[in-house]
């Protein structure tokens, strides 16, 4: 497990784009699957995407599939979430986290239960 830091959030108009970054430090980055999650006031934290340790497997929530793309650059210790066609309902604090080490790292789960070492989050606000 290692420390994660999210960045790239901000205020964007509907239909706009943002690219979030999740940068890790500590253990070898390619040991771990990584997930992106979001939390809006009054709503449960939800998994939006995840990526296996090598990047061969990716998953998306139905609400973002086709608009968001997750990728990783293990040399840079970074996982990205490219968000296009943003909608007001995408507003929230976006977190990344490490899938627990006891789970297979060549796959990923989207449920928050399976993750540890959460970052502090980056705010994404989609509004006109």
């Amino acid at each position: 497990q290692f420390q994660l830091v999210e960045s790239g959030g901000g205020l964007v108009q509907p239909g706009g784009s943002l690219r979030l970054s999740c940068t890790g430090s500590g253990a070898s980055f390619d040991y771990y699957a990584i997930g992106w999650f979001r939390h809006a006031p009054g709503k449960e934290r939800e998994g939006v995407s995840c990526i296996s340790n090598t990047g061969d497997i990716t998953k998306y929530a139905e609400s973002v599939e086709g608009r968001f793309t997750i990728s990783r650059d293990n040399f840079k210790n970074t996982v990205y979430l490219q968000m296009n066609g943003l909608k007001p309902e995408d507003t929230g604090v976006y977190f990344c986290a490490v899938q627990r080490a006891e789970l297979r790292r060549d796959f990923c789960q989207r449920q928050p239960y399976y993750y540890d070492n959460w970052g502090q989050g980056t705010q994404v606000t989609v509004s006109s």
Side-chain angles (χ1 to χ4, degrees):
Q1 305 295 328
F2 48 84
Q3 181 69 40
L4 299 176
V5 178
E6 302 93 340
S7 62
L11 175 64
V12 65
Q13 294 183 346
S17 298
L18 288 171
R19 189 178 76 162
L20 306 184
S21 296
C22 171
T23 300
S25 62
S28 297
F29 194 70
D30 61 358
Y31 286 179
Y32 303 105
I34 302 291
W36 277 104
F37 307 84
R38 64 189 180 191
H39 191 192
K43 297 182 179 180
E44 295 183 347
R45 182 174 297 189
E46 62 176 338
V48 300
S49 187
C50 67
I51 188 167
S52 64
N53 65 317
T54 63
D56 292 337
I57 302 296
T58 59
K59 291 184 176 181
Y60 300 91
E62 291 184 1
S63 59
V64 307
E65 192 164 6
R67 299 187 296 119
F68 291 10
T69 302
I70 191 169
S71 62
R72 67 190 297 160
D73 185 336
N74 288 335
F75 182 76
K76 296 182 178 179
N77 285 1
T78 300
V79 170
Y80 303 98
L81 186 67
Q82 178 67 46
M83 305 186 296
N84 299 325
L86 284 163
K87 305 175 180 179
E89 51 263 44
D90 294 318
T91 294
V93 179
Y94 281 69
F95 301 87
C96 60
V98 181
Q99 186 173 269
R100 298 202 309 269
E102 63 266 29
L103 302 175
R104 56 184 298 178
R105 61 178 64 93
D106 59 346
F107 200 70
C108 69
Q109 306 283 350
R110 289 196 297 107
Q111 294 84 358
Y113 172 84
Y114 297 102
Y115 290 81
D116 289 323
N117 290 58
W118 296 82
Q120 294 301 306
T122 184
Q123 177 70 44
V124 172
T125 303
V126 185
S127 177
S128 60

